[in-house]
Amino acid sequence: MTDLPEPFGAVVIGASAGGIQALRVLLEGLPATFEPPIVVVQHIPPDRPSALAELFGYRCVLPVVEADDKQPLRPGTVFFAPPDYHLLVEDRQTLALSIDEPVKFSRPSIDVLFESAAAAFGTQLLAILLTGASSDGSEGLVSVRRAGGKAWVQCPSEAAVPTMPESALALAGADAVLRLRDMCDRLQGSFQ
Amino acid sequence: MTDEATPLFDIELRLLLDAVYLRYHYDFRGYAFSSLRRRVRHAMTRFGCERVSDLQHRIIHEPEFFAEAIQYFTVQVSEMFRDPGYFRTLREEVVPVLTTYPSVKVWVAGCSSGEEVWSLAILLAEEGLLERSMIYATDINPDALAKAQRGTYRVDRVAQFSRNYLAAGGRRSLSDYYTSAYGNAMFDRRLTQQVVFADHSLATDSVFSEVHFVSCRNVLIYFNRALQDRAVGLFCDSLVRKGFLGLGSKESLQFGAHAEKFEAFAPEQRIYQRKVPG
């Protein structure tokens, strides 16, 4: 399949408004055999603990954790950004956090995750941008594509809030514009 | 427009860090690359440099330019009483132990623009400990240290500071500690009479005093593993037996070289206690 990276090093996912429901479809569909690490920024409020790792931990076959600083990037594991920190891919083995200024009013920011992952994984990266009301992720997707990685954007007509996918498609374009179910099928298909 | 997602960018960035070290003895070579890339790219945009090597050229040849550019190498983002639970735990569980010492030395390592220093000074004052405390507030960034010393923050940030302060168990109103003027909140200078602001690098300098408590929050996240180990080693050598180390809410000794020298004191707040060597 041409719109999956080869070899497949990592997946980064960005989501904002409506993202929890979308992530449920995507992450709950992944099989235990899925190998690349999955790093997710879902926009969340800065001032209270995030329940994302717990929520998805119950529902996913894959292990789900909230990322810690310098945590090893284990294969087949879902890492969520903690509240009020940017989550970055430091290198192919390691995650890192930062409290640099919010980007487009968001910390964690999707742009920050995507740009760092593009630098670390280059052509081996798949970046997926889902529903949201912001333009976060657009510039990150430009970096991903310029570094030779693949970009999937959720079909705006399916997105709960189409602003984020639309903004990304206008600025960065995409290797594929897909419905969640199709994303899921393709990801599953690659690790059967 | 330059592209940070290329091997060439990283090569040039490493050369820049070498150059900065050779020229000015500021050592950023052990900093985490992922956030450094982004900040250096900001500097390039700000100064109109197309390549990292263009930035490097100016940095090497113009010391006054470096003084400006260094702001982009270090992070100056914090807020007073950030993570209120941390300060609440300090107040309720750490301060009672510190109070048993005749005098208390505190090291705020990587204090940046000082929000945490002022927070600790307020907390210690409210617990009756400030007068017999000495706080060392250190950073490598001279501008940040000057800001820290001034204790003047934009008034639009103060609402968040106040919310944090109350959530941290503050005994009064934060407004008791500052006066507003010209869009700024100026904190009461008397709070920092016991504070020494000093230049100190966790990357190149050594231990300078014995202390009872080190607070170093959201600094280690910008370091790679080796530099983290160096910094935590300094904290360990500097702490008295059973002295306390407070880290940021997502930082951990778990992956580091000195993990076994500390025990968790308040694990959920990332407060550790130095073990008695034995």
Side-chain angles (χ1 to χ4, degrees):
Chain A
M1 217 162 306
T2 56
D3 53 12
L4 276 168
E6 181 59 49
F8 197 162
V11 187
V12 287
I13 304 177
S16 188
I20 309 275
Q21 289 307 312
L23 285 167
R24 283 198 55 184
V25 178
L26 208 56
L27 296 178
E28 289 175 28
L30 294 178
T33 48
F34 194 80
E35 282 171 17
I38 302 159
V39 190
V40 187
V41 164
Q42 159 71 50
H43 287 163
I44 41 173
D47 51 0
R48 55 174 180 267
S50 159
L52 289 171
E54 208 177 4
L55 174 72
F56 283 93
Y58 282 123
R59 300 173 178 279
C60 293
V61 178
L62 296 170
V64 183
V65 297
E66 185 172 291
D68 244 324
D69 182 52
K70 302 301 176 298
Q71 189 166 22
L73 198 48
R74 284 192 307 273
T77 304
V78 181
F79 298 90
F80 273 100
D84 216 16
Y85 285 85
H86 294 303
L87 175 57
L88 302 99
V89 176
E90 172 67 11
D91 54 43
R92 286 171 192 233
Q93 275 84 45
T94 325
L95 293 167
L97 300 175
S98 104
I99 57 163
D100 283 9
E101 299 277 5
V103 175
K104 291 168 183 152
F105 308 102
S106 295
R107 187 170 60 201
S109 147
I110 301 166
D111 280 340
V112 171
L113 171 65
F114 281 13
E115 286 168 11
S116 65
F121 279 99
T123 57
Q124 300 180 15
L125 181 70
L126 171 64
I128 301 178
L129 195 65
L130 303 175
T131 166
S134 125
S135 66
D136 193 16
S138 299
E139 288 184 31
L141 222 50
V142 171
S143 301
V144 169
R145 299 197 78 199
R146 201 182 289 154
K150 302 293 185 189
W152 291 0
V153 174
Q154 186 182 10
C155 186
S157 65
E158 184 202 51
V161 185
T163 315
M164 204 157 81
E166 279 169 355
S167 160
L169 288 172
L171 191 75
D175 296 281
V177 181
L178 299 166
R179 304 177 75 80
L180 291 171
R181 186 42 62 192
D182 295 329
M183 291 187 186
C184 214
D185 290 345
R186 287 183 195 210
L187 289 173
Q188 279 178 342
S190 62
F191 285 94
Q192 266 171 358
Chain B
M1 172 153 176
T2 50
D3 189 359
E4 80 284 7
T6 67
L8 277 185
F9 186 96
D10 281 9
I11 289 171
E12 290 203 354
L13 183 49
R14 284 185 200 284
L15 292 172
L16 170 65
L17 302 184
D18 283 343
V20 165
Y21 179 66
L22 292 170
R23 178 77 167 90
Y24 300 105
H25 275 271
Y26 279 96
D27 194 353
F28 297 104
R29 295 172 300 174
Y31 275 48
F33 241 58
S34 47
S35 36
L36 203 53
R37 271 192 207 102
R38 194 177 165 84
R39 292 202 304 277
V40 167
R41 195 163 47 90
H42 282 172
M44 290 161 62
T45 308
R46 161 73 178 78
F47 298 115
C49 296
E50 198 182 326
R51 295 201 173 86
V52 183
S53 43
D54 302 331
L55 193 67
Q56 179 187 312
H57 182 83
R58 290 199 61 189
I59 281 176
I60 292 179
H61 294 281
E62 302 170 38
E64 61 290 348
F65 177 78
F66 174 63
E68 217 180 320
I70 193 182
Q71 309 307 323
Y72 289 85
F73 287 81
T74 61
V75 182
Q76 297 165 63
V77 186
S78 190
E79 55 193 43
M80 289 182 75
F81 297 96
R82 188 181 207 269
D83 304 318
Y86 174 81
F87 286 93
R88 182 181 280 273
T89 305
L90 288 184
R91 189 191 290 271
E92 292 171 357
E93 293 176 44
V94 176
V95 166
V97 181
L98 296 180
T99 307
T100 64
Y101 295 101
S103 69
V104 176
K105 287 182 180 174
V106 175
W107 177 13
V108 183
C111 72
S112 187
S113 41
E115 286 87 340
E116 180 153 327
V117 177
W118 289 86
S119 307
L120 282 171
I122 289 169
L123 191 155
L124 293 175
E126 290 185 354
E127 300 306 315
L129 199 55
L130 186 60
E131 287 194 346
R132 56 192 168 100
S133 298
M134 170 74 88
I135 302 177
Y136 301 103
T138 65
D139 204 272
I140 57 166
N141 182 332
D143 273 24
L145 276 174
K147 270 183 208 151
Q149 197 153 9
R150 274 199 297 279
T152 298
Y153 302 102
R154 283 199 331 269
V155 85
D156 59 1
R157 303 181 63 204
V158 172
Q160 180 65 45
F161 295 177
S162 290
R163 280 195 295 277
N164 290 350
Y165 166 76
L166 292 174
R171 297 190 190 281
R172 301 168 64 175
S173 159
L174 191 63
S175 60
D176 292 349
Y177 298 105
Y178 65 82
T179 48
S180 303
Y182 307 108
N184 286 319
M186 293 151 54
F187 280 80
D188 188 340
R189 280 285 170 105
R190 280 171 297 186
L191 287 166
T192 50
Q193 275 171 357
Q194 307 288 90
V195 182
V196 176
F197 293 91
D199 171 65
H200 181 274
S201 163
L202 295 171
T204 54
D205 292 333
S206 52
V207 170
F208 56 88
S209 176
E210 186 172 68
V211 300
H212 303 87
F213 170 42
V214 175
S215 198
C216 180
R217 308 191 64 227
N218 296 312
V219 176
L220 297 180
I221 51 177
Y222 293 104
F223 295 173
N224 68 19
R225 194 75 59 77
L227 185 50
Q228 286 189 349
D229 286 343
R230 185 186 198 279
V232 176
L234 289 183
F235 302 154
C236 192
D237 292 343
S238 162
L239 280 168
V240 301
R241 294 167 175 215
K242 307 287 268 177
F244 296 94
L245 169 63
L247 300 179
S249 66
K250 299 306 293 178
E251 293 171 322
S252 163
L253 297 180
Q254 187 191 338
F255 306 115
H258 303 288
E260 77 291 349
K261 295 178 185 158
F262 291 88
E263 54 200 348
F265 178 79
E268 70 289 358
Q269 300 301 338
R270 309 293 168 120
I271 298 172
Y272 297 85
Q273 198 167 19
R274 194 192 151 194
K275 284 185 193 166
V276 178

